[in-house]
Amino acid sequence: MPALSVRQLRKTYRNGFEALKGVDLSVDEGDFFALLGPNGAGKSTLIGILASLVTKTSGEVKVFGHDLDREPEAVKACLGLVPQEFNFNIFLPVIEVVLNQAGYYGIPRGEALERAEFYLRKLELWDRRQTEMRQLSGGLKRRLMIARGLIHGPRLLILDEPTAGVDIEIRRGMWDFLRELNEQGTTIILTTHYLEEAENLCRHIAIINRGQVAEREGMTRLLGRLEAETFVLNLQHPLSATPDLPGFPSLLLDDQTLEVELSRGQSVNSLFAALSRRGIEVASLRNKQNRLERLFLETVERRGEDRG
Ligand code: ADP
Ligand code: MG
């Protein structure tokens, strides 16, 4: 049974804007899944629907087999949410934020305290438990939201841009924490536009753009497909046309800039050999883009073209 199954999900906001245009998505139990997409793609809308914060227009949502329309309480019980926007009373001390949430799920006080201590220690917030929210940095607030999202022991944790605005050190700490949580059995879905984050953490990935899922693949397969790397070469001498380099798809950007694609197993040396056979000298070379970033842009562009 999948942890999450979404079929033909649509959302039209009251102003007529169609934020989700028939999204199909399935996430297996135990997966670490990234929902990757640019701003405005519909990520938060999708997550809002799962967490019953946004009402869907049509379509079906199931969480561990529980239908969102028929068993909203069961869905609520197995789903933990870390929203994109901070949403707590800024005058509350850290510990109260977590305990209030436990109360909301009907967890008895004693057990709530135990769990709160466990997660606050894990997320290095225990020493700050009496600190008021408004005195916490962005990174600490983000970590507190994770502790709060976990207090009722959800089987599926959904994080909406968990590391937006979080500095790199804290971000890596959060990654370690999430990885460990996933290894212990919690299914995790996160949205991000940090490609590095998806690449580092996730086993599967879906790319969402303009309310539609554009790609859905295993990270390994995706990276395999991306094994082709594009290099940008600055040439010593100008060329008038794209040279014929057997085995190396290339494109002359301007008379002294040549873009060349290397696929898996092709070495830069073999490219240089092919170039020298054509009498082409290279002044410098650089990698065009991060691999995932490239795929992301290609997908977005392709979708854009499809839609005219
Ligand atoms: P993402 O999280 O991927 O950045 P969102 O789901 O927040 O995207 O937004 C998707 C689109 O829906 C955006 O164009 C946004 O402006 C629009 N949108 C979000 N909330 C509302 C709303 N309450 N009313 C109308 N449009 C909205
Ligand atoms: Mg969002």
Side-chain angles (χ1 to χ4, degrees):
M1 180 206 306
L4 173 69
S5 148
V6 168
R7 275 174 42 198
Q8 281 305 302
L9 189 63
R10 293 177 186 275
K11 173 64 186 180
T12 305
Y13 280 109
R14 215 169 290 164
N15 64 1
F17 185 81
E18 217 185 338
L20 298 178
K21 301 168 184 162
V23 167
D24 290 304
L25 197 64
S26 173
V27 176
D28 288 337
E29 178 161 17
D31 205 353
F32 203 139
F33 191 94
L35 196 58
L36 194 67
N39 275 331
K43 303 182 296 296
S44 294
T45 300
L46 173 57
I47 283 176
I49 291 172
L50 306 181
S52 295
L53 302 171
V54 175
T55 51
K56 62 184 164 67
T57 303
S58 63
E60 184 193 79
V61 174
K62 282 184 179 172
V63 178
F64 291 104
H66 301 295
D67 185 280
L68 182 64
D69 293 328
R70 275 170 293 163
E71 305 167 86
E73 291 304 311
V75 169
K76 192 181 112 179
C78 48
L79 190 146
L81 175 71
V82 181
Q84 183 173 1
E85 309 292 340
F86 298 128
N87 58 345
F88 23 51
N89 178 341
I90 58 166
F91 298 105
L92 273 187
V94 163
I95 182 87
E96 292 302 328
V97 169
V98 182
L99 290 177
N100 283 354
Q101 183 82 353
Y104 174 69
Y105 283 97
I107 300 165
R109 185 85 179 174
E111 196 184 335
L113 270 168
E114 259 174 47
R115 290 190 191 191
E117 178 168 353
F118 176 78
Y119 285 116
L120 291 180
R121 281 194 190 282
K122 272 261 170 218
L123 288 154
E124 292 169 53
L125 281 160
W126 183 244
D127 293 344
R128 320 281 294 257
R129 62 191 176 280
Q130 297 304 342
T131 306
E132 286 180 13
M133 292 306 309
R134 60 189 170 133
Q135 289 169 321
L136 295 185
S137 68
L140 290 178
K141 280 191 191 124
R142 197 59 74 178
R143 267 154 40 184
L144 178 59
M145 298 222 294
I146 296 178
R148 186 183 63 175
L150 286 170
I151 197 73
H152 60 294
R155 296 163 71 191
L156 170 63
L157 182 68
I158 301 182
L159 306 107
D160 198 358
E161 310 227 6
T163 57
V166 172
D167 70 51
I168 189 74
E169 206 170 309
I170 292 186
R171 190 185 305 172
R172 292 195 181 277
M174 276 169 49
W175 287 359
D176 290 341
F177 175 80
L178 293 175
R179 238 182 240 123
E180 189 187 323
L181 192 70
N182 178 247
E183 275 159 19
Q184 289 166 358
T186 307
T187 307
I188 300 181
I189 300 175
L190 61 80
T191 77
T192 184
H193 54 244
Y194 290 115
L195 309 154
E196 192 203 354
E197 186 156 84
E199 195 169 355
N200 258 294
L201 288 174
C202 300
R203 279 189 292 279
H204 291 97
I205 180 175
I207 294 178
I208 183 169
N209 187 40
R210 297 183 201 171
Q212 287 179 308
V213 171
E215 299 273 343
R216 162 80 168 87
E217 255 191 292
M219 187 62 82
T220 320
R221 253 187 78 184
L222 189 90
L223 292 179
R225 199 142 66 75
L226 289 177
E227 215 117 17
E229 261 180 301
T230 305
F231 290 90
V232 179
L233 315 181
N234 288 315
L235 307 177
Q236 204 70 265
H237 307 290
L239 289 177
S240 53
T242 301
D244 175 36
L245 300 168
F248 299 97
S250 49
L251 180 68
L252 196 64
L253 297 182
D254 62 52
D255 62 359
Q256 271 181 296
T257 314
L258 182 66
E259 221 179 78
V260 183
E261 196 173 295
L262 258 70
S263 52
R264 189 210 304 259
Q266 284 181 312
S267 67
V268 176
N269 277 343
S270 63
L271 168 62
F272 275 90
L275 286 164
S276 78
R277 278 196 292 277
R278 292 274 175 281
I280 300 168
E281 287 172 55
V282 175
S284 69
L285 146 161
R286 67 181 168 83
N287 236 330
K288 195 184 176 192
Q289 251 164 6
N290 161 301
R291 296 169 300 166
L292 193 52
E293 189 162 336
R294 197 177 110 202
L295 177 98
F296 179 50
L297 292 174
E298 279 172 3
T299 304
V300 171
E301 280 159 17
R302 196 163 65 237
R303 277 280 153 180
E305 282 161 17
D306 287 352
R307 301 176 55 78

